[in-house]
Amino acid sequence: MMRYIRYVSIAIFALALILIALANRITVPVRLVPGELNRFTALSPATEVPLFVVIFAAILAGLILGFIWEWIREAGERAAAAAQAREMARLRAEITRLKRDKHEGSDEVIALLDTGR
């Protein structure tokens, strides 16, 4: 059931993108440098593209910048999680060593029962 809901959601999203593209087919000039600053630059590349390309490119650029911003923001949390994982591995190794030392020289059956295997 969830698979069909996902397919319907994707279809609605695709239909919305297609409708936006069809409604914004007019071509607009896209310049790297604004017209007033052309005299200060050696070259001023400009091209004509449909408006929906500009809209979709702006949305994509916003998504990419947002993902990068969030990745940078969570760097401290990732470092803390990695430190906790290292500490947990160290403590597990110490518990294993202490259990082994506790049962050194004792009966193997009792040692196996105590470790829970």
Side-chain angles (χ1 to χ4, degrees), residues 7-21 56:
Y7 290 151
V8 169
S9 299
I10 291 171
I12 290 171
F13 185 69
L15 182 64
L17 290 177
I18 291 169
L19 290 175
I20 289 171
F56 292 162

Side-chain angles (χ1 to χ4, degrees), residues 16-111:
L17 290 177
I18 291 169
L19 290 175
I20 289 171
L22 289 174
N24 295 292
R25 290 181 296 170
I26 188 168
T27 59
V28 293
V30 176
R31 294 184 191 97
L32 185 62
V33 179
E36 294 80 25
L37 298 177
N38 279 345
R39 59 187 167 152
F40 299 118
T41 60
L43 80 134
S44 177
T47 185
E48 297 273 333
V49 295
L51 182 59
F52 73 88
V53 172
V54 175
I55 293 170
F56 292 162
I59 291 171
L60 183 64
L63 282 171
I64 290 171
L65 286 174
F67 287 141
I68 291 171
W69 182 275
E70 190 65 18
W71 182 75
I72 291 171
R73 188 187 69 80
E74 291 178 348
E77 295 173 19
R78 284 193 311 274
Q84 284 180 344
R86 285 190 301 272
E87 179 70 11
M88 186 178 292
R90 186 189 66 78
L91 291 173
R92 282 186 179 150
E94 184 176 349
I95 288 172
T96 304
R97 183 187 56 82
L98 290 174
K99 283 184 178 181
R100 186 182 59 235
D101 291 347
K102 175 183 174 185
H103 296 294
E104 191 174 303
S106 65
D107 189 17
E108 291 179 12
V109 175
I110 294 174

